[in-house]
Amino acid sequence: MSSKSVFQEEKNPRGIPKAPFIANVEEYLGGPDGAVETPLKNFQDAIAKSRKYRYMDANLTQRRKGLEDKIPDIRKTLHMVEFLHETREGKNKNDDLEDDLSDEENSDNPKKPLITTFELNDTLFAEAELEDTDTVYLWLGANVMLSYKLTEAASLLRSKLDLAEASLKATIEDLEFLREQLTVMEVNTARVYNWDVKRRRERRLAGEVKKDG
Amino acid sequence: MASTTPSQPQQINVADLDLQQLSDVRRQLEEELNHLTNSFAQLKQAQAKFKSCIENVGEVKPQNKGTTILVPLTNSLYVPGHLSDAENVIVDVGTGYYVKKSRAQATKYYETKVEYIRTNLDTLQETIQKKQENMSYLVNVMQAKLQQSQAQSSKV
């Protein structure tokens, strides 16, 4: 009778152990006379495994929700940066055309400053004029804000977005895989238990027959 | 002893209710009390928000007009700029309407809001207090009943 630890057999790419399906309960437990303790121990293993799976499930669901919230934000920010970049490109082109005319610093003709309404508070907005600079500031969280040139900012945001999207995809895959394994584990537990009940009943009946006979 | 519970839609004689019903009523009162306390906390939060709006409006002053500010374009994107309009602000008055007001008007608007919430808070506070009194009265009656029934069962 082999109480093999079946739980280290396979893992999926991100280290979630695969739950093997016990096709033949009897064989797994080592024949009809397999010791009674082994199935019990295996129930407990299975239950512990289910608990771990459930915990991981909760974790991943949380992570997925966080990512789903962040991704639209990153998209918006990237869009803004690209827009600013384009606006500047447009202005610079105009500049080149009128280079000989205006050597002074930024006077009216090619410059149309961007007026924007920004949020001071939840219900309060104010108007401001954006300076024509190629530097933007990105809030990276944890009280950290860095200044970037427009192009650097765009590439940083793009890579953040790609990372987040890939992570989200992986998390969703993991969740599905996890649900599968959880089900397999629960089915195993149920089958081993049922088989054990059946076996006890058979033993009892066999015992009674022997007594009568 | 005929005693009626104050401020209930029907005059029930509390002494007539048995322990089970008393505990039901008590549970109901507790739920209501929780609900009211939550609403109170939320109102306080909203009031604090409006107060901070008043401060913000104060910041949009003409003397700040030339100073460089970092303008938030999204949650994590800030661009340097300066105030273009230091006289007017835009206020969200609800249901998708945004109104451009002068600073004075906006301040008045927020102060009215704060005042309105304050009166609501006061009314709510009173109601909470009454409910708490009800509850303690009920608990007293319950204890009296309990003692009564214990005394009776020990006699038997």
Side-chain angles (χ1 to χ4, degrees):
Chain A
M1 122 211 66
S2 51
S3 53
K4 13 181 196 158
S5 109
V6 289
F7 301 127
Q8 274 137 12
E9 281 178 357
E10 293 163 46
K11 294 186 173 196
N12 91 336
R14 274 164 298 280
I16 304 179
K18 197 163 153 59
F21 182 63
I22 305 174
N24 192 338
V25 184
E26 190 166 311
E27 183 188 307
Y28 172 63
L29 289 178
D33 293 323
V36 192
E37 297 87 25
T38 328
L40 290 178
K41 180 171 166 302
N42 287 327
F43 297 159
Q44 284 160 0
D45 279 347
I47 293 176
K49 210 61 187 174
S50 317
R51 210 180 312 141
K52 262 195 258 179
Y53 278 151
R54 262 187 219 118
Y55 170 74
M56 291 184 78
D57 186 271
N59 246 354
L60 286 181
T61 318
Q62 227 184 9
R63 208 196 310 174
R64 168 186 166 171
K65 191 166 171 317
L67 282 173
E68 278 177 355
D69 284 339
K70 266 201 323 181
I71 287 186
D73 271 346
I74 304 182
R75 272 212 196 100
K76 257 197 304 188
T77 315
L78 180 60
H79 193 65
M80 277 312 298
V81 169
E82 285 174 347
F83 170 73
L84 284 175
H85 194 53
E86 275 168 40
T87 326
R88 259 185 75 78
E89 296 283 289
K91 283 196 211 149
N92 284 342
K93 280 211 203 90
N94 285 343
D95 257 355
D96 287 341
L97 294 175
E98 310 191 34
D99 228 352
D100 42 359
L101 285 183
S102 51
D103 238 18
E104 300 124 24
E105 41 152 36
N106 313 327
S107 51
D108 301 274
N109 294 349
K111 296 301 177 219
K112 278 190 318 257
L114 285 166
I115 310 257
T116 171
T117 331
F118 67 97
E119 193 173 332
L120 270 182
N121 200 311
D122 210 16
T123 51
L124 183 60
F125 298 82
E127 232 179 55
E129 186 182 309
L130 293 183
E131 249 170 57
D132 187 34
T133 163
D134 61 348
T135 319
V136 295
Y137 298 77
L138 288 179
W139 173 266
L140 304 175
N143 279 347
V144 171
M145 181 189 272
L146 292 180
S147 76
Y148 290 86
K149 290 261 181 297
L150 272 181
T151 33
E152 292 171 3
S155 57
L156 175 73
L157 285 171
R158 225 169 268 132
S159 69
K160 258 172 88 169
L161 185 64
D162 289 338
L163 213 65
E165 282 179 341
S167 183
L168 180 66
K169 203 153 86 65
T171 312
I172 293 182
E173 264 180 36
D174 280 352
L175 266 179
E176 285 174 7
F177 182 76
L178 206 53
R179 297 255 166 84
E180 256 182 55
Q181 305 315 307
L182 192 57
T183 318
V184 165
M185 228 44 239
E186 287 177 346
V187 165
N188 281 347
T189 319
R191 290 180 81 225
V192 174
Y193 182 73
N194 288 345
W195 183 87
D196 189 54
V197 165
K198 195 170 85 139
R199 190 186 58 178
R200 278 180 213 261
R201 195 164 55 94
E202 283 169 1
R203 278 191 182 168
R204 192 169 42 91
L205 290 177
E208 284 174 9
V209 164
K210 251 196 246 165
K211 263 194 276 177
D212 293 340
Chain B
M1 20 168 201
S3 35
T4 49
T5 53
S7 62
Q8 291 229 321
Q10 9 152 202
Q11 294 293 11
I12 334 172
N13 218 333
V14 182
D16 284 349
L17 297 173
D18 64 5
L19 269 183
Q20 180 58 31
Q21 288 169 318
L22 279 178
S23 67
D24 281 343
V25 176
R26 177 176 147 183
R27 204 174 1 106
Q28 200 185 0
L29 276 182
E30 266 177 15
E31 273 180 40
E32 287 176 18
L33 206 57
N34 265 344
H35 184 67
L36 289 174
T37 324
N38 278 346
S39 313
F40 187 82
Q42 281 178 340
L43 277 183
K44 262 240 164 300
Q45 251 186 356
Q47 194 188 40
K49 232 176 29 127
F50 286 128
K51 283 195 183 140
S52 80
C53 279
I54 297 184
E55 279 178 42
N56 292 123
V57 174
E59 291 294 318
V60 183
K61 352 181 237 236
Q63 56 212 92
N64 281 346
K65 190 144 185 205
T67 37
T68 315
I69 57 178
L70 277 180
V71 180
L73 290 184
T74 78
N75 278 0
S76 32
L77 177 64
Y78 292 76
V79 181
H82 41 268
L83 276 180
S84 69
D85 186 351
E87 276 315 312
N88 300 323
V89 292
I90 304 189
V91 179
D92 177 1
V93 293
T95 62
Y97 280 87
Y98 294 78
V99 182
K100 188 173 218 167
K101 291 180 189 273
S102 77
R103 271 182 306 119
Q105 288 174 324
T107 317
K108 194 154 144 308
Y109 172 77
Y110 284 123
E111 280 174 358
T112 327
K113 273 253 154 80
V114 171
E115 187 55 37
Y116 172 71
I117 292 191
R118 201 178 57 74
T119 43
N120 274 3
L121 278 175
D122 287 339
T123 326
L124 198 54
Q125 180 88 326
E126 278 178 36
T127 320
I128 290 186
Q129 238 165 339
K130 273 211 209 93
K131 279 253 160 357
Q132 274 174 338
E133 281 172 20
N134 277 1
M135 186 109 126
S136 52
Y137 176 76
L138 195 70
V139 169
N140 281 345
V141 171
M142 261 182 90
Q143 282 177 340
K145 279 227 165 254
L146 200 59
Q147 283 179 341
Q148 238 181 14
S149 66
Q150 278 178 348
Q152 278 185 339
S153 52
S154 62
K155 266 192 229 161
V156 173

